[in-house]
Amino acid sequence: MALYKSPSPLSEQARTAIAATLNERLSDGLDLHSQIKVAHWNIKGPQFAALHPLFETFAVSLANHNDSIAERAVTLGGRAYGTSRHVGKNSRLPEYPQETSRDLEHVKLLAERIEVYLNGLRESRAAVEGHKDTDTVDLFTGIITEFEKHAWFLRASLEG
């Protein structure tokens, strides 16, 4: 991948590697966003009133993070890849069972997928730390902190 000119002082090799890992997380994030929306649209059950708006909150937040990830890749001189076909080929998340309707089943499925997303973010953050790109590390850390809280919230909903 040929890079564009960037204001970043990082080497071209580092920027290439970082843009690649940002695009990996973008694929996961775009896939997770669509899966959260499927849960939001199809949820039924006693927890509907609480979970329907909560899932929308997750989706809006994730859309903003996806935008930040894509813009960071481009800022580093790379490209952002995010078409549905690209995401479908590259996301690490398992397919979402779209026939699901029960509230707590959606909670379980989203918790599992958020954990896969978090694992990818942590791997990418570790890789970026090796290139000493504290700005991208900070970006990943902020997303990890927020989505760990979301995963905790979902897991806590399943206990009892």
Side-chain angles (χ1 to χ4, degrees):
M1 165 174 64
L3 295 180
Y4 295 105
K5 187 170 172 57
S6 170
S8 172
L10 295 168
S11 71
E12 187 169 327
Q13 178 187 11
R15 290 186 295 121
T16 298
I18 295 164
T21 200
L22 284 160
N23 272 290
E24 290 169 355
R25 300 298 66 84
L26 182 59
S27 287
D28 291 351
L30 290 168
D31 190 14
L32 180 59
H33 181 268
S34 70
Q35 293 190 27
I36 291 169
K37 291 300 289 188
V38 166
H40 169 78
W41 296 324
N42 293 297
I43 190 169
K44 305 263 187 288
Q47 301 298 317
F48 171 85
L51 294 173
H52 181 74
L54 179 68
F55 292 171
E56 182 64 13
T57 300
F58 292 176
V60 168
S61 170
L62 186 54
N64 288 326
H65 290 309
N66 288 338
D67 196 54
S68 295
I69 287 172
E71 289 175 352
R72 182 67 183 156
V74 175
T75 298
L76 293 174
R79 294 183 184 270
Y81 300 104
T83 65
S84 297
R85 287 179 188 93
H86 179 87
V87 169
K89 286 192 309 194
N90 292 285
S91 173
R92 294 170 30 160
L93 276 65
E95 179 60 57
Y96 200 85
Q98 296 189 73
E99 298 304 315
T100 302
S101 64
R102 297 304 304 164
D103 48 8
L104 294 182
E105 185 62 20
H106 282 296
V107 168
K108 178 180 174 291
L109 291 167
L110 290 180
E112 292 167 356
R113 281 148 181 80
I114 288 172
E115 288 167 7
V116 172
Y117 178 63
L118 284 166
N119 288 338
L121 287 168
R122 290 183 195 107
E123 289 171 15
S124 288
R125 181 175 61 183
V128 170
E129 285 172 336
H131 292 291
K132 304 201 182 334
D133 178 5
T134 55
D135 299 319
T136 304
V137 168
D138 288 349
L139 173 63
F140 284 141
T141 299
I143 300 167
I144 290 166
T145 301
E146 183 175 341
F147 273 81
E148 282 180 344
K149 185 172 73 172
H150 295 333
W152 162 72
F153 195 95
L154 293 172
R155 290 289 181 199
S157 300
L158 295 171
E159 295 177 9

PDB file of all heavy atoms in Angstrom, residues 129-154:
ATOM      1  N   GLU A 129       1.918   0.029  20.125  1.00  0.00           N
ATOM      2  CA  GLU A 129       2.886   0.412  21.164  1.00  0.00           C
ATOM      3  C   GLU A 129       4.305   0.115  20.700  1.00  0.00           C
ATOM      4  O   GLU A 129       5.232   0.883  20.988  1.00  0.00           O
ATOM      5  CB  GLU A 129       2.593  -0.331  22.476  1.00  0.00           C
ATOM      6  CG  GLU A 129       1.398   0.214  23.222  1.00  0.00           C
ATOM      7  CD  GLU A 129       0.987  -0.622  24.423  1.00  0.00           C
ATOM      8  OE1 GLU A 129       1.303  -1.848  24.470  1.00  0.00           O
ATOM      9  OE2 GLU A 129       0.326  -0.073  25.308  1.00  0.00           O
ATOM     10  N   GLY A 130       4.477  -0.975  19.969  1.00  0.00           N
ATOM     11  CA  GLY A 130       5.794  -1.330  19.449  1.00  0.00           C
ATOM     12  C   GLY A 130       6.345  -0.308  18.464  1.00  0.00           C
ATOM     13  O   GLY A 130       7.562  -0.207  18.282  1.00  0.00           O
ATOM     14  N   HIS A 131       5.454   0.448  17.827  1.00  0.00           N
ATOM     15  CA  HIS A 131       5.879   1.501  16.893  1.00  0.00           C
ATOM     16  C   HIS A 131       5.961   2.863  17.579  1.00  0.00           C
ATOM     17  O   HIS A 131       6.233   3.868  16.920  1.00  0.00           O
ATOM     18  CB  HIS A 131       4.902   1.579  15.716  1.00  0.00           C
ATOM     19  CG  HIS A 131       4.932   0.387  14.831  1.00  0.00           C
ATOM     20  ND1 HIS A 131       6.003   0.077  14.019  1.00  0.00           N
ATOM     21  CD2 HIS A 131       4.021  -0.605  14.640  1.00  0.00           C
ATOM     22  CE1 HIS A 131       5.746  -1.035  13.356  1.00  0.00           C
ATOM     23  NE2 HIS A 131       4.550  -1.479  13.717  1.00  0.00           N
ATOM     24  N   LYS A 132       5.691   2.880  18.873  1.00  0.00           N
ATOM     25  CA  LYS A 132       5.759   4.110  19.679  1.00  0.00           C
ATOM     26  C   LYS A 132       4.819   5.204  19.165  1.00  0.00           C
ATOM     27  O   LYS A 132       5.149   6.388  19.177  1.00  0.00           O
ATOM     28  CB  LYS A 132       7.192   4.611  19.786  1.00  0.00           C
ATOM     29  CG  LYS A 132       8.135   3.555  20.351  1.00  0.00           C
ATOM     30  CD  LYS A 132       9.370   4.139  20.929  1.00  0.00           C
ATOM     31  CE  LYS A 132      10.358   3.130  21.473  1.00  0.00           C
ATOM     32  NZ  LYS A 132       9.909   1.865  21.919  1.00  0.00           N
ATOM     33  N   ASP A 133       3.625   4.770  18.728  1.00  0.00           N
ATOM     34  CA  ASP A 133       2.601   5.712  18.265  1.00  0.00           C
ATOM     35  C   ASP A 133       1.607   5.928  19.401  1.00  0.00           C
ATOM     36  O   ASP A 133       0.562   5.291  19.477  1.00  0.00           O
ATOM     37  CB  ASP A 133       1.908   5.174  17.016  1.00  0.00           C
ATOM     38  CG  ASP A 133       0.796   6.076  16.519  1.00  0.00           C
ATOM     39  OD1 ASP A 133       0.601   7.176  17.079  1.00  0.00           O
ATOM     40  OD2 ASP A 133       0.111   5.673  15.556  1.00  0.00           O
ATOM     41  N   THR A 134       1.955   6.848  20.312  1.00  0.00           N
ATOM     42  CA  THR A 134       1.124   7.065  21.498  1.00  0.00           C
ATOM     43  C   THR A 134      -0.255   7.613  21.144  1.00  0.00           C
ATOM     44  O   THR A 134      -1.218   7.361  21.876  1.00  0.00           O
ATOM     45  CB  THR A 134       1.818   8.025  22.490  1.00  0.00           C
ATOM     46  OG1 THR A 134       2.140   9.237  21.817  1.00  0.00           O
ATOM     47  CG2 THR A 134       3.077   7.397  23.070  1.00  0.00           C
ATOM     48  N   ASP A 135      -0.379   8.308  20.041  1.00  0.00           N
ATOM     49  CA  ASP A 135      -1.685   8.853  19.666  1.00  0.00           C
ATOM     50  C   ASP A 135      -2.667   7.744  19.300  1.00  0.00           C
ATOM     51  O   ASP A 135      -3.825   7.754  19.743  1.00  0.00           O
ATOM     52  CB  ASP A 135      -1.538   9.850  18.516  1.00  0.00           C
ATOM     53  CG  ASP A 135      -0.655  11.028  18.909  1.00  0.00           C
ATOM     54  OD1 ASP A 135      -0.787  11.508  20.055  1.00  0.00           O
ATOM     55  OD2 ASP A 135       0.167  11.447  18.091  1.00  0.00           O
ATOM     56  N   THR A 136      -2.223   6.777  18.527  1.00  0.00           N
ATOM     57  CA  THR A 136      -3.102   5.657  18.176  1.00  0.00           C
ATOM     58  C   THR A 136      -3.320   4.756  19.387  1.00  0.00           C
ATOM     59  O   THR A 136      -4.422   4.227  19.567  1.00  0.00           O
ATOM     60  CB  THR A 136      -2.535   4.878  16.973  1.00  0.00           C
ATOM     61  OG1 THR A 136      -2.340   5.792  15.879  1.00  0.00           O
ATOM     62  CG2 THR A 136      -3.479   3.767  16.527  1.00  0.00           C
ATOM     63  N   VAL A 137      -2.309   4.601  20.225  1.00  0.00           N
ATOM     64  CA  VAL A 137      -2.483   3.854  21.485  1.00  0.00           C
ATOM     65  C   VAL A 137      -3.590   4.503  22.307  1.00  0.00           C
ATOM     66  O   VAL A 137      -4.489   3.818  22.828  1.00  0.00           O
ATOM     67  CB  VAL A 137      -1.162   3.782  22.290  1.00  0.00           C
ATOM     68  CG1 VAL A 137      -1.409   3.276  23.710  1.00  0.00           C
ATOM     69  CG2 VAL A 137      -0.146   2.897  21.581  1.00  0.00           C
ATOM     70  N   ASP A 138      -3.555   5.829  22.421  1.00  0.00           N
ATOM     71  CA  ASP A 138      -4.594   6.537  23.174  1.00  0.00           C
ATOM     72  C   ASP A 138      -5.973   6.320  22.567  1.00  0.00           C
ATOM     73  O   ASP A 138      -6.960   6.137  23.291  1.00  0.00           O
ATOM     74  CB  ASP A 138      -4.293   8.033  23.237  1.00  0.00           C
ATOM     75  CG  ASP A 138      -3.132   8.372  24.160  1.00  0.00           C
ATOM     76  OD1 ASP A 138      -2.671   7.489  24.914  1.00  0.00           O
ATOM     77  OD2 ASP A 138      -2.683   9.535  24.113  1.00  0.00           O
ATOM     78  N   LEU A 139      -6.061   6.352  21.247  1.00  0.00           N
ATOM     79  CA  LEU A 139      -7.331   6.110  20.561  1.00  0.00           C
ATOM     80  C   LEU A 139      -7.870   4.734  20.938  1.00  0.00           C
ATOM     81  O   LEU A 139      -9.031   4.598  21.350  1.00  0.00           O
ATOM     82  CB  LEU A 139      -7.142   6.222  19.041  1.00  0.00           C
ATOM     83  CG  LEU A 139      -8.335   5.840  18.170  1.00  0.00           C
ATOM     84  CD1 LEU A 139      -9.516   6.771  18.416  1.00  0.00           C
ATOM     85  CD2 LEU A 139      -7.926   5.854  16.701  1.00  0.00           C
ATOM     86  N   PHE A 140      -7.021   3.715  20.814  1.00  0.00           N
ATOM     87  CA  PHE A 140      -7.451   2.351  21.159  1.00  0.00           C
ATOM     88  C   PHE A 140      -7.813   2.239  22.642  1.00  0.00           C
ATOM     89  O   PHE A 140      -8.803   1.597  22.995  1.00  0.00           O
ATOM     90  CB  PHE A 140      -6.361   1.329  20.806  1.00  0.00           C
ATOM     91  CG  PHE A 140      -6.237   1.019  19.337  1.00  0.00           C
ATOM     92  CD1 PHE A 140      -4.994   0.843  18.761  1.00  0.00           C
ATOM     93  CD2 PHE A 140      -7.347   0.888  18.527  1.00  0.00           C
ATOM     94  CE1 PHE A 140      -4.857   0.538  17.405  1.00  0.00           C
ATOM     95  CE2 PHE A 140      -7.236   0.581  17.174  1.00  0.00           C
ATOM     96  CZ  PHE A 140      -5.987   0.403  16.621  1.00  0.00           C
ATOM     97  N   THR A 141      -7.043   2.862  23.509  1.00  0.00           N
ATOM     98  CA  THR A 141      -7.309   2.776  24.947  1.00  0.00           C
ATOM     99  C   THR A 141      -8.680   3.356  25.291  1.00  0.00           C
ATOM    100  O   THR A 141      -9.419   2.769  26.086  1.00  0.00           O
ATOM    101  CB  THR A 141      -6.202   3.477  25.750  1.00  0.00           C
ATOM    102  OG1 THR A 141      -4.960   2.813  25.480  1.00  0.00           O
ATOM    103  CG2 THR A 141      -6.483   3.450  27.246  1.00  0.00           C
ATOM    104  N   GLY A 142      -9.022   4.473  24.691  1.00  0.00           N
ATOM    105  CA  GLY A 142     -10.329   5.066  24.946  1.00  0.00           C
ATOM    106  C   GLY A 142     -11.474   4.156  24.527  1.00  0.00           C
ATOM    107  O   GLY A 142     -12.475   4.016  25.244  1.00  0.00           O
ATOM    108  N   ILE A 143     -11.325   3.518  23.379  1.00  0.00           N
ATOM    109  CA  ILE A 143     -12.370   2.609  22.889  1.00  0.00           C
ATOM    110  C   ILE A 143     -12.445   1.380  23.790  1.00  0.00           C
ATOM    111  O   ILE A 143     -13.539   0.924  24.159  1.00  0.00           O
ATOM    112  CB  ILE A 143     -12.102   2.207  21.424  1.00  0.00           C
ATOM    113  CG1 ILE A 143     -12.081   3.448  20.523  1.00  0.00           C
ATOM    114  CG2 ILE A 143     -13.158   1.206  20.946  1.00  0.00           C
ATOM    115  CD1 ILE A 143     -11.530   3.196  19.132  1.00  0.00           C
ATOM    116  N   ILE A 144     -11.291   0.842  24.159  1.00  0.00           N
ATOM    117  CA  ILE A 144     -11.258  -0.331  25.037  1.00  0.00           C
ATOM    118  C   ILE A 144     -11.941  -0.029  26.359  1.00  0.00           C
ATOM    119  O   ILE A 144     -12.778  -0.809  26.834  1.00  0.00           O
ATOM    120  CB  ILE A 144      -9.801  -0.814  25.258  1.00  0.00           C
ATOM    121  CG1 ILE A 144      -9.244  -1.416  23.967  1.00  0.00           C
ATOM    122  CG2 ILE A 144      -9.721  -1.801  26.414  1.00  0.00           C
ATOM    123  CD1 ILE A 144      -7.733  -1.614  23.965  1.00  0.00           C
ATOM    124  N   THR A 145     -11.613   1.102  26.959  1.00  0.00           N
ATOM    125  CA  THR A 145     -12.205   1.468  28.247  1.00  0.00           C
ATOM    126  C   THR A 145     -13.727   1.533  28.151  1.00  0.00           C
ATOM    127  O   THR A 145     -14.441   0.988  29.002  1.00  0.00           O
ATOM    128  CB  THR A 145     -11.637   2.822  28.720  1.00  0.00           C
ATOM    129  OG1 THR A 145     -10.221   2.712  28.833  1.00  0.00           O
ATOM    130  CG2 THR A 145     -12.226   3.229  30.059  1.00  0.00           C
ATOM    131  N   GLU A 146     -14.225   2.168  27.110  1.00  0.00           N
ATOM    132  CA  GLU A 146     -15.677   2.294  26.953  1.00  0.00           C
ATOM    133  C   GLU A 146     -16.338   0.947  26.693  1.00  0.00           C
ATOM    134  O   GLU A 146     -17.357   0.619  27.301  1.00  0.00           O
ATOM    135  CB  GLU A 146     -16.000   3.262  25.826  1.00  0.00           C
ATOM    136  CG  GLU A 146     -17.492   3.469  25.688  1.00  0.00           C
ATOM    137  CD  GLU A 146     -17.855   4.512  24.646  1.00  0.00           C
ATOM    138  OE1 GLU A 146     -16.996   5.337  24.277  1.00  0.00           O
ATOM    139  OE2 GLU A 146     -19.016   4.491  24.213  1.00  0.00           O
ATOM    140  N   PHE A 147     -15.759   0.143  25.811  1.00  0.00           N
ATOM    141  CA  PHE A 147     -16.420  -1.110  25.456  1.00  0.00           C
ATOM    142  C   PHE A 147     -16.230  -2.199  26.511  1.00  0.00           C
ATOM    143  O   PHE A 147     -17.039  -3.117  26.599  1.00  0.00           O
ATOM    144  CB  PHE A 147     -16.069  -1.544  24.026  1.00  0.00           C
ATOM    145  CG  PHE A 147     -17.031  -0.898  23.058  1.00  0.00           C
ATOM    146  CD1 PHE A 147     -16.842   0.406  22.651  1.00  0.00           C
ATOM    147  CD2 PHE A 147     -18.161  -1.560  22.635  1.00  0.00           C
ATOM    148  CE1 PHE A 147     -17.757   1.043  21.819  1.00  0.00           C
ATOM    149  CE2 PHE A 147     -19.085  -0.949  21.803  1.00  0.00           C
ATOM    150  CZ  PHE A 147     -18.884   0.359  21.396  1.00  0.00           C
ATOM    151  N   GLU A 148     -15.200  -2.096  27.344  1.00  0.00           N
ATOM    152  CA  GLU A 148     -15.139  -2.983  28.513  1.00  0.00           C
ATOM    153  C   GLU A 148     -16.317  -2.698  29.436  1.00  0.00           C
ATOM    154  O   GLU A 148     -16.929  -3.614  29.978  1.00  0.00           O
ATOM    155  CB  GLU A 148     -13.822  -2.800  29.271  1.00  0.00           C
ATOM    156  CG  GLU A 148     -12.652  -3.491  28.629  1.00  0.00           C
ATOM    157  CD  GLU A 148     -11.352  -3.307  29.389  1.00  0.00           C
ATOM    158  OE1 GLU A 148     -11.257  -2.400  30.253  1.00  0.00           O
ATOM    159  OE2 GLU A 148     -10.406  -4.066  29.098  1.00  0.00           O
ATOM    160  N   LYS A 149     -16.666  -1.428  29.594  1.00  0.00           N
ATOM    161  CA  LYS A 149     -17.812  -1.060  30.424  1.00  0.00           C
ATOM    162  C   LYS A 149     -19.100  -1.598  29.805  1.00  0.00           C
ATOM    163  O   LYS A 149     -19.954  -2.143  30.518  1.00  0.00           O
ATOM    164  CB  LYS A 149     -17.884   0.460  30.591  1.00  0.00           C
ATOM    165  CG  LYS A 149     -18.990   0.904  31.537  1.00  0.00           C
ATOM    166  CD  LYS A 149     -18.917   2.385  31.844  1.00  0.00           C
ATOM    167  CE  LYS A 149     -19.360   3.189  30.658  1.00  0.00           C
ATOM    168  NZ  LYS A 149     -19.493   4.625  30.936  1.00  0.00           N
ATOM    169  N   HIS A 150     -19.243  -1.491  28.498  1.00  0.00           N
ATOM    170  CA  HIS A 150     -20.436  -2.028  27.835  1.00  0.00           C
ATOM    171  C   HIS A 150     -20.520  -3.546  28.018  1.00  0.00           C
ATOM    172  O   HIS A 150     -21.601  -4.087  28.291  1.00  0.00           O
ATOM    173  CB  HIS A 150     -20.435  -1.693  26.348  1.00  0.00           C
ATOM    174  CG  HIS A 150     -20.536  -0.239  26.035  1.00  0.00           C
ATOM    175  ND1 HIS A 150     -21.149   0.687  26.863  1.00  0.00           N
ATOM    176  CD2 HIS A 150     -20.098   0.474  24.974  1.00  0.00           C
ATOM    177  CE1 HIS A 150     -21.093   1.881  26.314  1.00  0.00           C
ATOM    178  NE2 HIS A 150     -20.447   1.788  25.169  1.00  0.00           N
ATOM    179  N   ALA A 151     -19.398  -4.236  27.865  1.00  0.00           N
ATOM    180  CA  ALA A 151     -19.387  -5.695  28.043  1.00  0.00           C
ATOM    181  C   ALA A 151     -19.754  -6.060  29.479  1.00  0.00           C
ATOM    182  O   ALA A 151     -20.513  -7.020  29.710  1.00  0.00           O
ATOM    183  CB  ALA A 151     -18.014  -6.267  27.677  1.00  0.00           C
ATOM    184  N   TRP A 152     -19.229  -5.313  30.432  1.00  0.00           N
ATOM    185  CA  TRP A 152     -19.562  -5.558  31.837  1.00  0.00           C
ATOM    186  C   TRP A 152     -21.064  -5.366  32.055  1.00  0.00           C
ATOM    187  O   TRP A 152     -21.711  -6.177  32.723  1.00  0.00           O
ATOM    188  CB  TRP A 152     -18.761  -4.617  32.733  1.00  0.00           C
ATOM    189  CG  TRP A 152     -19.332  -4.479  34.110  1.00  0.00           C
ATOM    190  CD1 TRP A 152     -19.309  -5.405  35.096  1.00  0.00           C
ATOM    191  CD2 TRP A 152     -20.051  -3.363  34.632  1.00  0.00           C
ATOM    192  NE1 TRP A 152     -19.969  -4.928  36.217  1.00  0.00           N
ATOM    193  CE2 TRP A 152     -20.437  -3.661  35.951  1.00  0.00           C
ATOM    194  CE3 TRP A 152     -20.407  -2.117  34.102  1.00  0.00           C
ATOM    195  CZ2 TRP A 152     -21.149  -2.784  36.740  1.00  0.00           C
ATOM    196  CZ3 TRP A 152     -21.113  -1.238  34.898  1.00  0.00           C
ATOM    197  CH2 TRP A 152     -21.475  -1.583  36.196  1.00  0.00           C
ATOM    198  N   PHE A 153     -21.612  -4.314  31.502  1.00  0.00           N
ATOM    199  CA  PHE A 153     -23.036  -4.038  31.658  1.00  0.00           C
ATOM    200  C   PHE A 153     -23.873  -5.188  31.101  1.00  0.00           C
ATOM    201  O   PHE A 153     -24.829  -5.636  31.741  1.00  0.00           O
ATOM    202  CB  PHE A 153     -23.397  -2.723  30.947  1.00  0.00           C
ATOM    203  CG  PHE A 153     -24.732  -2.166  31.346  1.00  0.00           C
ATOM    204  CD1 PHE A 153     -24.830  -1.209  32.342  1.00  0.00           C
ATOM    205  CD2 PHE A 153     -25.897  -2.592  30.728  1.00  0.00           C
ATOM    206  CE1 PHE A 153     -26.062  -0.700  32.720  1.00  0.00           C
ATOM    207  CE2 PHE A 153     -27.126  -2.086  31.106  1.00  0.00           C
ATOM    208  CZ  PHE A 153     -27.210  -1.132  32.104  1.00  0.00           C
ATOM    209  N   LEU A 154     -23.500  -5.678  29.930  1.00  0.00           N
ATOM    210  CA  LEU A 154     -24.249  -6.788  29.327  1.00  0.00           C
ATOM    211  C   LEU A 154     -24.110  -8.056  30.168  1.00  0.00           C
ATOM    212  O   LEU A 154     -25.100  -8.746  30.432  1.00  0.00           O
ATOM    213  CB  LEU A 154     -23.774  -7.023  27.897  1.00  0.00           C
ATOM    214  CG  LEU A 154     -24.092  -5.908  26.905  1.00  0.00           C
ATOM    215  CD1 LEU A 154     -23.398  -6.175  25.585  1.00  0.00           C
ATOM    216  CD2 LEU A 154     -25.593  -5.740  26.729  1.00  0.00           C
TER     217      LEU A 154
END
